Amino acid sequence: HLLLFLLFVGPFNCFASYSRATELFYSLNEGLPAGVLIGSLARDLRLPTGSGQRLTAPQPPLSFTLASHGLAGQYVHLDNRSGELHTSALEIDREALCMESSGATVSGETDTISFFSPSPESCLLLLDVLVLPQEYFRLVKVKIAIRDINDNAPHFPVPHICLSVPENAPVNTRLAIEHPALDPDVGTNSVQTYRLRDNYGVFTLDVEENESGERTPYLIVMGALDREMREEYVTVIVAEDGGTPPLVGSATLTIGISDINDNCPQFSDSQLNITLYGNSSLGSHVATVHAIDLDLGSNAQITYSYSQKVPQPSRDLFHLDESTGVITLFSKVDGNTPRLHRLIILGNGPGCIPAVFTVLVTIIKVMMRPPEVIPRFIANEVEGVVYLKELEPINTPIAFFTIKDPDEKYKVSCYLEGNGPFRLSPYKLYNNEYLLETTKPLDYETQQLYEISVVAWNSKGFNVNKVIKIQVLDDNDNSPVFSQQLIELSIEENNVPNAFLTKLHATDADSGERGKVSYFLGPDAPSYFSLDKTTGVLTVATQLDREEKEKYRYTVKAVDSGFPPRESIATVTITVLDKNDNSPRFINKDFSFFVPENFPGFGEIGVISVTDADAGQNGWVALSVLNGSDIFVIDTGKGVLRAKVSLDREQQSSYVLWIEAVDGGDPALSSTAKITVLLLDINDNPPLVLFPQSNMSYLLVLPSTLPGSPITEVYAVDKDTGMNAVIAYSIIGRRGPRPESFRIDPKTGNITLEESLMQNDYGLYRLLVKVSDHGYPEPLHSTVMVNLFVNDTVSNESYIESLLRKEPDINIEEKQPQISIEPTHQKMESASCMPTLVALSIISLGSITLVTGMGIYICLRKGKKHHRADENLEVQIPLNGRIGLHILEKKPVEISNI
């Protein structure tokens, strides 16, 4: 659109634009990453950027635009404001862009970017850039030269190069090597040198460069060649470029030495002596001559002929085959035939002097002819070789032989000569007929070829031999045989997939396809084992886990290719060896043990069970205490947890231990478990009276106190728990004017006034309170003295203290308190009828107590009516027993009514 706009501006403007066209030239390496600065158009064109200038009026900013947006946007990025050119994300490959173009412009339908390569070494990227606004307008032609880097290694177009050199090639013969190495790079980065990895001491390389700069390697012969000594040289040709570091490529170079006719036929000997009977039949073999030519092909072709020195009678008597060198009797020997014949044979080769060999034939004249042996084969016979299958039955006929005397004058007999399971016997139906047959089955694997002779001789001692070759044909009579019937293997668990186990090997004595063995897994083999049918390689496709299965036992088969096929079976046993892949495992994650306190030191607290699925040393487990090791110890072998000292629940009621189990593997694996030791309470603590604090304290009780009013309480605690901490209170001894006036609640320890106090009831009351727990098997108890002073005031404290210092004689009323068992720290729920029963019991007990109290009161009033008031302060009550009082504090404590 911008070009169309410029066309419509006017001829002057167009002319001005073209006149202000500018060229800029940049260069950069190929393969640079994105964002590399190529050049700044504004700076290189020296265009004003507005910085450092004082303008009279605001100037529009410069704008740089590619004339079209096609391929340019793929390789370069132009900043429209600054005019800076950078490489884009698409990497520039000089060989891909310019080597194929070879000077052609690569552009789209409307693109003005091109790659121009006027020579193999140069590669230009061409861009057209428009600079705006109008007052700065110009068309900038940017040329970017793409510099080559050594990013391509030389490579030969073919992996195998063959070159033929005649064996008579002289030294310094130069042979061009076709298919030289190619390198897309240019200059020194292209192919510079060639070398041979092994020159065998007779070859070297040279490089020639033509006018276009192409380098061609030449093979130079540096030594004498002889095809008969060595007909081929195999080496590696290496091409190397000139980059830093240099890159190389290679190909296999085979140098074949072509044959020339530099050898002539030669006989191994110079003469052969032959004796021939005069009665020999026509066509009888006389001799065979053989010459050798070390050359190849037509250069080694040999023909045989008689020398001109051989007389014509000898030529007529003996025929020479010019190709094979076989000499046979051609005409019948008679009385006129010479006894000695000298046959000079020439071995002829192309372009060679004939080799000479002499056959000296001596003819012995005889008056009678030897016996004749005429075979008639029953079995399959080809060119004198009889073919019999192995395992043929006994007495299998092979051939009939007719034995006769040509002159019919002499008796002829025959016999069989040679080793083998054969027999030649007269055939009963005819005279001079003999049958050759087998005497036992033939075995191909024992012997494949037999050579026997049927010898016929007459009464004059003349004999003749008929040689018979018997070839045994193989049959599929042997099954494959494994080298081991029991194949014992082992493999470590956690193996890699498709791990190699072993290579099975079985042999089959049969030949050909019948002896070709294939391998198969038996039906009892797991699916993750595989056996290569051809090679017998046994693999396992998956990881094996010894803890899942330690032993594998299955069968494998070896099957031959005969018809019908035969097979044999072997047993494979695989032992999976252990690896330390299992951590010790506790039966429980958390163990809890309940132990009575005061348990003796090193007594057995409990057994910690731990297992390890591994075997051997990997499965050995050692236990240790991670924390609390100063108190607890563990028996590693048995897992028995013990305490070094006796444990006291009152000091600590529970212990949390962490036990570590470590196996014997390398590296060792471990696991931990939590152990909680809970101490069970035993009744080892008597109740502790907290109030009153002293046996010497007392409490003032006013005479006006109403019956049923609480006076004070006895408060005690027990460090034990459960039933051992259930406390019962009871008054076991009383002293005072009317001591039954006070009672104690067996559950709470509250002391209350039972009846109204009279004037005669004034004085000191001493109540011996027993505080007992419900421990088993023997309850524990404590006692405390509760002192109550009934009076209006305390006028003489010293008098009261003197009374308290006296140890009173008190009758012991040992009665178990009748209370429900309830721990001090927990309220026990009663049955639904319990409140009613308790209420009725209290009412009944109160009524009886009231009647009894009133009776006692009346009696006491009558007995002590005239006593003085001060004498009533101390009452002497004889005690049936004495008890030691716990004196916690000597100083009396005055406590108020609770």
Side-chain angles (χ1 to χ4, degrees):
H1 295 298
L2 186 58
L3 290 174
L4 293 175
F5 168 77
L6 294 174
L7 291 174
F8 283 101
V9 170
F12 180 78
N13 290 335
C14 293
F15 178 77
S17 300
Y18 283 109
S19 65
R20 297 171 67 182
T22 306
E23 283 191 358
L24 290 178
F25 183 82
Y26 300 103
S27 65
L28 76 159
N29 290 341
E30 62 173 326
L32 293 177
V36 176
L37 178 64
I38 300 173
S40 174
L41 301 185
R43 182 189 62 207
D44 297 335
L45 294 174
R46 299 181 180 179
L47 296 176
T49 59
S51 61
Q53 297 184 7
R54 302 179 64 181
L55 302 176
T56 57
Q59 298 294 327
L62 292 175
S63 175
F64 300 87
T65 309
L66 288 174
S68 63
H69 299 278
L71 294 176
Q74 300 181 17
Y75 299 101
V76 296
H77 172 71
L78 176 62
D79 191 302
N80 294 335
R81 292 290 185 183
S82 65
E84 290 184 347
L85 276 173
H86 295 84
T87 56
S88 67
L90 184 61
E91 185 179 290
I92 297 177
D93 185 358
R94 190 196 67 84
E95 290 75 28
L97 297 177
C98 293
M99 296 301 289
E100 294 181 358
S101 62
S102 300
T105 299
V106 181
S107 63
E109 188 173 321
T110 59
D111 296 336
T112 61
I113 176 173
S114 64
F115 296 95
F116 184 71
S117 181
S119 66
E121 290 77 12
S122 62
C123 179
L124 297 178
L125 171 64
L126 306 179
L127 303 96
D128 291 340
V129 179
L130 299 176
V131 182
L132 295 176
Q134 181 65 28
E135 52 267 31
Y136 297 107
F137 172 77
R138 66 181 64 190
L139 175 63
V140 182
K141 292 187 175 292
V142 180
K143 296 181 180 180
I144 302 174
I146 310 300
R147 294 192 296 264
D148 181 50
I149 63 173
N150 192 27
D151 57 343
N152 293 280
H155 70 279
F156 288 89
V158 292
H160 194 175
I161 302 173
C162 295
L163 190 65
S164 179
V165 181
E167 62 177 325
N168 63 344
V171 175
N172 294 327
T173 299
R174 300 171 65 88
L175 299 170
I177 297 178
E178 298 182 359
H179 310 295
L182 304 176
D183 193 330
D185 297 325
V186 296
T188 57
N189 293 332
S190 62
V191 178
Q192 299 297 313
T193 59
Y194 291 86
R195 67 176 184 272
L196 292 177
R197 192 164 292 173
D198 186 359
N199 58 19
Y200 297 98
V202 293
F203 299 106
T204 188
L205 286 179
D206 189 18
V207 179
E208 291 186 3
E209 185 175 354
N210 59 17
E211 296 178 356
S212 62
E214 295 180 353
R215 295 173 181 265
T216 302
Y218 281 80
L219 181 70
I220 302 176
V221 179
M222 300 297 293
L225 304 176
D226 187 355
R227 189 206 63 80
E228 287 72 33
M229 296 295 294
R230 184 164 187 167
E231 62 181 3
E232 186 179 76
Y233 297 85
V234 179
T235 184
V236 176
I237 181 172
V238 179
E240 182 176 309
D241 63 22
T244 304
L247 303 178
V248 297
S250 62
T252 302
L253 176 63
T254 300
I255 305 170
I257 309 303
S258 59
D259 184 54
I260 63 170
N261 191 25
D262 58 345
N263 289 279
C264 290
Q266 291 182 354
F267 289 102
S268 57
D269 291 322
S270 60
Q271 182 172 317
L272 178 64
N273 296 324
I274 299 295
T275 299
L276 181 67
Y277 289 102
N279 58 355
S280 298
S281 58
L282 297 179
S284 299
H285 177 268
V286 178
T288 299
V289 295
H290 181 67
I292 298 175
D293 192 324
L294 297 178
D295 293 325
L296 293 177
S298 59
N299 294 331
Q301 187 174 358
I302 301 175
T303 59
Y304 302 93
S305 62
Y306 285 126
S307 170
Q308 293 181 356
K309 296 180 181 180
V310 177
Q312 190 63 38
S314 296
R315 294 170 181 263
D316 296 337
L317 182 61
F318 302 103
H319 176 263
L320 173 63
D321 190 301
E322 66 176 7
S323 298
T324 62
V326 175
I327 302 173
T328 56
L329 185 62
F330 187 70
S331 60
K332 190 173 182 179
V333 177
D334 55 23
N336 297 324
T337 302
R339 293 183 55 192
L340 183 64
H341 297 267
R342 188 180 186 87
L343 305 178
I344 301 175
I345 312 297
L346 301 179
N348 304 296
C352 289
I353 298 175
V356 180
F357 188 81
T358 301
V359 178
L360 192 60
V361 182
T362 301
I363 299 177
I364 299 176
K365 294 183 178 180
V366 294
M367 298 305 296
M368 64 179 66
R369 290 182 292 176
E372 293 182 356
V373 179
I374 303 173
R376 289 171 292 167
F377 292 99
I378 303 172
N380 184 27
E381 180 268 339
V382 177
E383 295 182 356
V385 180
V386 178
Y387 295 92
L388 287 179
K389 289 185 178 181
E390 64 175 334
L391 302 181
E392 288 281 1
I394 300 175
N395 300 327
T396 297
I398 299 174
F400 277 115
F401 290 90
T402 301
I403 309 298
K404 66 178 181 178
D405 180 16
D407 300 325
E408 297 181 356
K409 296 180 179 180
Y410 305 100
K411 181 180 179 181
V412 180
S413 300
C414 72
Y415 63 91
L416 189 64
E417 188 177 76
N419 297 323
F422 306 102
R423 176 176 57 210
L424 182 66
S425 56
Y427 195 63
K428 298 179 180 180
L429 300 180
Y430 303 98
N431 293 327
N432 297 329
E433 295 285 343
Y434 294 84
L435 177 64
L436 179 64
E437 59 186 355
T438 61
T439 59
K440 64 179 182 180
L442 303 177
D443 188 0
Y444 174 86
E445 288 71 38
T446 302
Q447 187 171 346
Q448 292 86 35
L449 181 65
Y450 295 89
E451 186 169 324
I452 57 178
S453 299
V454 176
V455 181
W457 55 280
N458 60 18
S459 56
K460 293 297 183 178
F462 287 94
N463 61 74
V464 65
N465 293 347
K466 182 63 177 180
V467 178
I468 300 172
K469 294 182 179 180
I470 299 177
Q471 177 68 53
V472 182
L473 299 178
D474 187 30
D475 200 356
N476 192 32
D477 59 335
N478 290 279
S479 299
V481 178
F482 280 100
S483 56
Q484 294 176 281
Q485 287 299 114
L486 178 61
I487 304 165
E488 297 179 323
L489 308 173
S490 63
I491 184 174
E492 279 194 342
E493 63 177 331
N494 304 329
N495 54 282
V496 296
N498 299 316
F500 172 84
L501 293 175
T502 189
K503 184 176 182 180
L504 303 181
H505 181 66
T507 57
D508 194 314
D510 295 324
S511 63
E513 287 295 319
R514 291 174 290 272
K516 184 178 179 181
V517 179
S518 300
Y519 302 90
F520 301 94
L521 290 172
D524 54 345
S527 60
Y528 39 84
F529 289 95
S530 60
L531 179 59
D532 189 279
K533 175 182 177 181
T534 304
T535 64
V537 172
L538 181 63
T539 58
V540 56
T542 186
Q543 284 189 346
L544 299 180
D545 187 357
R546 189 203 65 83
E547 289 72 37
E548 181 179 337
K549 189 172 184 179
E550 184 177 6
K551 296 280 187 179
Y552 293 88
R553 185 183 181 93
Y554 53 86
T555 58
V556 290
K557 295 191 298 183
V559 183
D560 63 23
S561 301
F563 183 80
R566 301 175 70 97
E567 66 180 39
S568 62
I569 296 176
T571 302
V572 175
T573 62
I574 300 175
T575 302
V576 183
L577 303 179
D578 184 55
K579 292 182 70 175
N580 193 29
D581 58 342
N582 289 276
S583 300
R585 183 177 180 182
F586 290 93
I587 293 180
N588 298 316
K589 293 183 179 179
D590 295 331
F591 290 86
S592 296
F593 298 112
F594 296 88
V595 182
E597 62 175 331
N598 301 330
F599 193 69
F602 292 98
E604 181 177 324
I605 295 175
V607 177
I608 300 168
S609 298
V610 61
T611 60
D612 194 313
D614 294 322
Q617 185 173 349
N618 295 332
W620 296 349
V621 179
L623 298 174
S624 61
V625 181
L626 296 180
N627 63 326
S629 58
D630 54 338
I631 300 177
F632 295 92
V633 67
I634 192 167
D635 188 337
T636 297
K638 299 179 180 179
V640 177
L641 181 65
R642 306 175 190 273
K644 299 179 182 178
V645 296
S646 180
L647 303 178
D648 187 359
R649 190 203 64 81
E650 285 71 38
Q651 292 183 1
Q652 187 170 340
S653 61
S654 65
Y655 296 86
V656 176
L657 306 176
W658 290 97
I659 304 298
E660 182 182 39
V662 182
D663 63 22
D666 185 18
L669 301 178
S670 63
S671 61
T672 58
K674 179 181 178 184
I675 310 296
T676 303
V677 179
L678 300 171
L679 297 181
L680 300 177
D681 184 53
I682 64 174
N683 195 26
D684 59 343
N685 291 281
L688 176 63
V689 178
L690 301 180
F691 187 85
Q693 298 180 354
S694 171
N695 289 334
M696 300 300 292
S697 61
Y698 64 93
L699 179 68
L700 177 64
V701 180
L702 299 176
S704 59
T705 303
L706 298 176
S709 298
I711 303 302
T712 185
E713 72 169 345
V714 177
Y715 179 69
V717 295
D718 196 315
K719 293 181 180 180
D720 296 323
T721 61
M723 298 303 299
N724 297 330
V726 176
I727 298 176
Y729 302 87
S730 62
I731 299 174
I732 61 173
R734 303 170 185 265
R735 182 180 178 186
R738 190 153 54 94
E740 65 274 3
S741 300
F742 299 95
R743 70 175 296 273
I744 190 168
D745 189 298
K747 293 170 57 177
T748 64
N750 291 332
I751 298 175
T752 58
L753 182 63
E754 288 295 302
E755 55 188 26
S756 300
L757 296 173
M758 303 300 178
Q759 187 175 1
N760 294 334
D761 298 335
Y762 285 32
L764 181 63
Y765 290 79
R766 307 195 75 175
L767 305 178
L768 183 58
V769 177
K770 179 181 179 182
V771 183
S772 177
D773 60 24
H774 285 70
Y776 180 84
E778 184 68 30
L780 301 179
H781 69 273
S782 300
T783 59
V784 65
M785 186 68 74
V786 178
N787 302 305
L788 303 176
F789 184 64
V790 179
N791 201 9
D792 292 325
T793 61
V794 179
S795 58
N796 191 350
E797 291 185 2
S798 60
Y799 172 73
I800 299 174
E801 291 177 358
S802 66
L803 294 177
L804 293 175
R805 292 190 185 96
K806 296 180 179 179
E807 185 174 350
D809 294 331
I810 301 176
N811 291 327
I812 304 299
E813 304 172 4
E814 190 63 48
K815 294 182 180 180
Q816 292 294 335
Q818 301 298 323
I819 64 170
S820 61
I821 298 175
E822 180 179 353
T824 58
H825 63 279
Q826 180 179 2
K827 298 295 183 178
M828 299 180 63
E829 295 182 0
S830 302
S832 59
C833 61
M834 288 301 295
T836 305
L837 295 176
V838 172
L840 293 174
S841 300
I842 292 175
I843 294 172
S844 300
L845 183 60
S847 301
I848 295 172
T849 303
L850 180 59
V851 173
T852 304
M854 291 178 66
I856 294 173
Y857 175 77
I858 295 171
C859 292
L860 290 176
R861 292 282 292 180
K862 292 179 178 181
K864 297 180 181 180
K865 186 174 181 182
H866 304 287
H867 283 257
R868 293 170 53 183
D870 54 353
E871 294 176 353
N872 293 332
L873 294 176
E874 185 173 350
V875 181
Q876 298 295 329
I877 303 176
L879 296 177
N880 295 329
R882 301 181 62 86
I883 184 168
L885 303 178
H886 297 279
I887 303 174
L888 302 177
E889 186 177 351
K890 296 296 184 178
K891 183 179 179 181
V893 179
E894 182 176 345
I895 54 178
S896 61
N897 192 4
I898 300 176

